[in-house]
Amino acid sequence: MNFSSSPCKSDLNIFLEAYWENKLEMQEWQCEYTRINECGCDDDDGKDDNFNEESCQYACFMDRGMDYCWEGGDPDADDEPEEQEELEVQEYMECAQIEFPEDENRRLEEEEIQYYIGPYCAESGSAILLGVFNDEFCTNFASEGDAGRSVYYDNMAEALPYGSESLVDMNCIPCKEPGDADMQNNQNDQQDEDEVVEFCELAYEQAGKCENRLSINNPNSNACTYMDGISIFRRDGEVIMRDLSSSSAASVFIGIFSATFVAAGAYVYYLKTKLDRAKINLAE
């Protein structure tokens, strides 16, 4: 099904939760498919005595840029650095409090301060980012100018995940269910008759719609007016969203100003012509 000609809008938190659930499920399917069909790391009779299944799988995933398929470090590394606990991004699809590691000096200075992490739309409208806030509704950034990223770095000694990189990929998302029934939405969507992944169904169902260009029964056009007021265009690969209502008002103002200017000019010309004629009459 192609909805390319039918725009829609959706609640940010609902969309993000569904998007990330689908992303993790698709990654799980990709990892399993790659491990079984591409890595060739089964320890069968064809392998020599030095073969290490974990080392083989690690190399396989890293070579394909699929580091999300592997938990832990290089199994062949002698001195593996101590792993720092990673931020569970999925827990912050809605505004939620974060507990930073305790530091005695910092605790005395900031004893009453609580921090929260949550998503927000970038000013350009082209990305959804995570920020650090000092209120439970995630409306006030914990530090000005960087959306609280410096506060996270001061406490964690690392950059805030998705502080600069969008939570949502701009690439198209496949909505067709994987061919393997066991991997269809983590076995939650196997029994339905369609071949559409659950995320796409839920995302479109929850979204505001403008279906006036679709050849379907009872099209939903409740969000058409809203979407007509937004312009989306690419500039150097970036998607920018701009409210056109202000531009329309500016155009009206410019039109009125121009008309007034032309009318004033015509009136001045009329007066000048009349004066010139008066001078000629006096001279005669």
Side-chain angles (χ1 to χ4, degrees):
M1 184 174 292
N2 180 11
F3 292 109
S4 59
S5 61
S6 173
C8 62
K9 67 184 183 68
S10 180
D11 179 86
L12 175 63
N13 301 121
I14 293 175
F15 172 78
L16 280 179
E17 289 177 2
Y19 173 87
W20 266 80
E21 181 178 355
N22 177 74
K23 178 178 180 178
L24 296 177
E25 288 173 354
M26 290 302 296
Q27 286 182 347
E28 180 183 355
W29 181 86
Q30 291 169 353
C31 294
E32 189 69 6
Y33 180 89
T34 301
R35 184 186 68 80
I36 295 174
N37 297 287
E38 298 182 8
C39 289
C41 292
D42 293 337
D43 191 2
D44 52 31
D45 295 337
K47 306 294 192 304
D48 59 34
D49 295 337
N50 295 323
F51 175 77
N52 184 297
E53 185 174 352
E54 285 191 351
S55 300
C56 176
Q57 290 183 7
Y58 175 81
C60 175
F61 291 135
M62 296 304 116
D63 289 345
R64 289 164 172 77
M66 301 172 67
D67 55 316
Y68 51 82
C69 293
W70 188 262
E71 294 184 3
D74 186 348
D76 294 331
D78 295 330
D79 297 320
E80 191 68 25
E82 183 178 351
E83 290 188 21
Q84 187 172 354
E85 185 176 352
E86 295 183 358
L87 182 73
E88 293 291 341
V89 175
Q90 199 172 10
E91 295 181 4
Y92 299 96
M93 296 297 99
E94 293 189 61
C95 188
Q97 185 175 356
I98 181 172
E99 297 288 345
F100 288 125
E102 289 190 5
D103 179 279
E104 186 63 26
N105 295 329
R106 187 170 61 243
R107 189 178 65 81
L108 293 174
E109 295 175 1
E110 305 179 354
E111 190 168 1
E112 301 300 325
I113 299 180
Q114 294 180 328
Y115 293 109
Y116 301 81
I117 292 180
Y120 71 97
C121 290
E123 186 176 353
S124 65
S126 62
I128 302 176
L129 307 172
L130 285 182
V132 180
F133 303 82
N134 53 24
D135 68 295
E136 61 182 324
F137 303 107
C138 287
T139 57
N140 300 313
F141 289 123
S143 57
E144 293 296 330
D146 64 358
R149 292 191 297 271
S150 59
V151 171
Y152 186 89
Y153 185 85
D154 290 343
N155 284 274
M156 300 296 292
E158 65 178 15
L160 173 65
Y162 297 97
S164 301
E165 175 190 357
S166 181
L167 285 161
V168 177
D169 197 329
M170 295 303 297
N171 296 325
C172 291
I173 300 172
C175 283
K176 182 178 174 61
E177 291 177 341
D180 186 349
D182 291 334
M183 296 306 297
Q184 291 179 9
N185 291 290
N186 202 19
Q187 302 186 20
N188 292 329
D189 196 28
Q190 294 181 19
Q191 305 303 322
D192 60 356
E193 297 179 357
D194 59 56
E195 296 182 348
V196 181
V197 297
E198 189 176 14
F199 162 70
C200 296
E201 293 177 347
L202 293 176
Y204 195 78
E205 180 181 343
Q206 293 287 340
K209 303 171 185 64
C210 184
E211 300 175 333
N212 54 6
R213 297 182 182 179
L214 294 181
S215 299
I216 59 176
N217 295 326
N218 303 317
N220 185 337
S221 301
N222 292 336
C224 290
T225 302
Y226 171 82
M227 294 179 206
D228 285 342
I230 296 178
S231 174
I232 304 176
F233 59 96
R234 288 187 179 272
R235 185 179 63 196
D236 297 331
E238 185 179 17
V239 175
I240 307 294
M241 298 182 66
R242 183 177 63 187
D243 188 348
L244 293 182
S245 58
S246 58
S247 298
S248 299
S251 299
V252 172
F253 177 79
I254 292 172
I256 294 174
F257 178 82
S258 300
T260 304
F261 182 83
V262 171
Y267 185 68
V268 170
Y269 179 78
Y270 168 77
L271 291 177
K272 182 178 182 300
T273 303
K274 193 171 184 179
L275 288 173
D276 289 340
R277 290 177 179 174
K279 289 179 181 178
I280 292 173
N281 292 334
L282 288 174
E284 292 176 353

